């Protein structure tokens, strides 16, 4: 090998090393939005936001279709059994039992075992389990599991899907927001 070939080979090595390092660096980035310590504390202190936060209330997640009419909101963080549930609840001032009550809860669940929609039926969530009469629907390019809201969730519709391995997104929309649920789900971006 002559000197020019050796120099050319040496100049390619740093580029090749950088390309090989990219997947390792990508693996270091969190694949699921996790709450900060401050957010976890706000949740445990049950602090409310008045007015509520907007479309970026959950760090790492955008709710691009956020209905109007909410008066306050609250971060909800729950860590248990190796999973982290991180979400935000928007609501109005009406009583929870009022059929006109407007409420939206969007949650990201970092659950390493999540990989298929069928697993959501037995997911270890503290609140918002898919234990009722569920059905699978296609919304945009997502396969989504839905069910009627129950007593713990309130009236309306509950939906969830596996965004990618280890990342689940759930949405609970109260009855007045059910007509907008498809737009809400289509507008969610991680």
């Amino acid at each position: 090998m002559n000197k020019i070939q050796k120099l050319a080979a040496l100049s390619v090595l740093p580029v090749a090393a950088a390309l090989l390092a990219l997947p390792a660096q990508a693996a270091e980035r969190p694949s699921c939005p996790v709450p900060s310590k401050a957010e976890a504390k706000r949740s445990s202190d049950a602090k409310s936001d008045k007015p509520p936060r907007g479309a970026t209330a959950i760090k790492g997640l955008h709710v691009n279709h956020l209905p109007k009419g909410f008066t306050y909101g609250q971060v909800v963080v729950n860590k248990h059994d190796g999973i982290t549930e991180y979400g935000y609840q928007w609501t109005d001032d009406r009583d929870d039992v009022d059929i006109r009550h407007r409420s939206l809860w969007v949650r990201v669940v970092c659950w390493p075992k999540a990989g298929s929609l069928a697993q959501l039926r037995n997911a270890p969530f503290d609140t918002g389990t898919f234990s009722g009469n569920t059905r699978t629907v296609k919304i945009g390019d997502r396969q989504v599991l839905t069910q009627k809201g129950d007593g713990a969730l309130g009236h309306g519709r509950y939906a969830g899907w596996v965004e990618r391995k280890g990342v689940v997104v759930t949405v609970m929309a109260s009855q007045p927001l059910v007509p907008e649920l498809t737009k809400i789900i289509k507008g969610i971006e991680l």
Side-chain angles (χ1 to χ4, degrees):
M1 202 185 273
N2 65 30
K3 286 184 180 179
I4 294 175
Q5 289 173 324
K6 286 180 184 176
L7 286 173
L10 288 175
S11 67
V12 172
L13 285 176
V15 173
L19 289 175
L20 290 174
L22 284 178
Q25 290 171 347
E28 291 173 13
R29 284 185 233 129
S31 63
C32 190
V34 292
S36 66
K37 288 181 182 177
E39 292 288 69
K41 181 160 178 27
R42 282 185 65 76
S43 175
S44 68
D45 292 346
K47 293 202 174 179
S48 294
D49 301 314
K50 194 168 184 170
R53 296 180 189 178
T56 58
I58 304 167
K59 183 182 173 188
L61 183 135
H62 291 265
V63 182
N64 292 313
H65 180 78
L66 188 59
K68 304 276 187 238
F70 300 119
T71 53
Y72 63 94
Q74 184 175 14
V75 158
V76 180
V77 176
N78 189 9
K79 294 182 180 187
H80 60 92
D81 304 316
I83 68 173
T84 301
E85 301 178 36
Y86 177 30
Y88 197 81
Q89 294 175 324
W90 292 266
T91 190
D92 66 13
D93 286 331
R94 288 185 179 97
D95 190 276
D96 291 353
V97 295
D98 186 339
I99 199 69
R100 294 171 298 161
H101 177 68
R102 295 172 62 83
S103 174
L104 177 66
W105 175 37
V106 177
R107 169 179 63 173
V108 177
V109 181
C110 300
W111 179 30
K113 294 180 182 178
S116 71
L117 201 58
Q119 288 176 289
L120 294 185
R121 289 184 179 95
N122 297 312
F125 305 151
D126 272 353
T127 304
T129 59
F130 288 94
S131 57
N133 185 13
T134 62
R135 64 185 178 121
T136 302
V137 296
K138 188 159 176 101
I139 299 177
D141 59 351
R142 294 179 170 123
Q143 287 291 101
V144 179
L145 194 64
T146 69
Q147 74 179 30
K148 185 176 179 181
D150 61 15
L153 295 174
H155 57 83
R157 195 106 196 123
Y158 182 53
W161 64 93
V162 177
E163 182 70 19
R164 59 181 171 261
K165 177 78 174 132
V167 182
V168 174
V169 178
T170 66
V171 177
M172 176 61 200
S174 65
Q175 194 61 44
L177 302 178
V178 169
E180 297 182 65
L181 187 56
T182 297
K183 283 184 183 178
I184 294 166
I185 290 171
K186 283 182 177 180
I188 291 177
E189 296 176 6
L190 262 89

